[in-house]
């Protein structure tokens, strides 16, 4: 049972970290989706089909709302970069698939 408690605590810790680095993205009148804080200096990555137009509203895990500017889109990969004016955001830990 100690192993189960340890795993449960570890999963809860990972879920909390992921929740804090995941944001809600609203763009246009009907486009809502999620994004990930990619860099603590305000870089958000989302789907291009969510990030329509040139602006987006970003809601953080704690309810704070930030205005964002869509800085790049790749329609083939369905990715978009959104910049927000913020620092010290809880960025996701990016893995290396080669490892």
């Amino acid at each position: 049972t100690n192993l189960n408690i340890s795993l449960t605590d570890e999963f809860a810790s990972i879920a909390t970290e992921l929740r804090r680095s995941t944001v809600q993205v609203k763009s246009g009148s009907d486009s809502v989706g999620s994004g990930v804080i990619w860099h603590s200096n305000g870089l958000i990555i989302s789907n291009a089909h969510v990030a329509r137009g040139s602006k987006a509203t970003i809601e953080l895990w704690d309810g704070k709302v930030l205005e964002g500017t869509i800085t790049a889109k790749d329609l083939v990969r369905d990715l978009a970069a959104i910049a927000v004016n913020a620092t010290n955001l809880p960025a996701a830990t990016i893995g290396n698939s080669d490892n």
Side-chain angles (χ1 to χ4, degrees):
T1 58
N2 285 342
L3 179 60
N4 287 343
I5 292 171
S6 178
L7 284 176
T8 300
D9 290 345
E10 185 66 25
F11 287 138
S13 175
I14 291 168
T16 297
E17 185 177 333
L18 289 173
R19 184 173 58 87
R20 290 184 176 162
S21 62
T22 303
V23 299
Q24 182 179 63
V25 178
K26 295 179 184 176
S27 182
S29 62
D30 62 346
S31 186
V32 178
S34 63
V36 174
I37 301 171
W38 201 256
H39 198 279
S40 63
N41 70 354
L43 175 62
I44 310 291
I45 300 297
S46 186
N47 295 104
H49 72 268
V50 171
R52 299 179 182 178
S54 61
K55 300 288 183 187
T57 301
I58 307 298
E59 184 174 343
L60 303 179
W61 69 277
D62 61 1
K64 184 176 181 180
V65 176
L66 303 169
E67 292 305 313
T69 302
I70 299 164
T71 59
K73 287 185 192 181
D74 183 330
L75 298 177
V76 173
R77 292 179 179 87
D78 193 25
L79 293 172
I82 305 166
V84 295
N85 188 15
T87 57
N88 297 322
L89 295 174
T93 302
I94 309 304
N96 182 338
S97 62
D98 292 338
N99 292 337

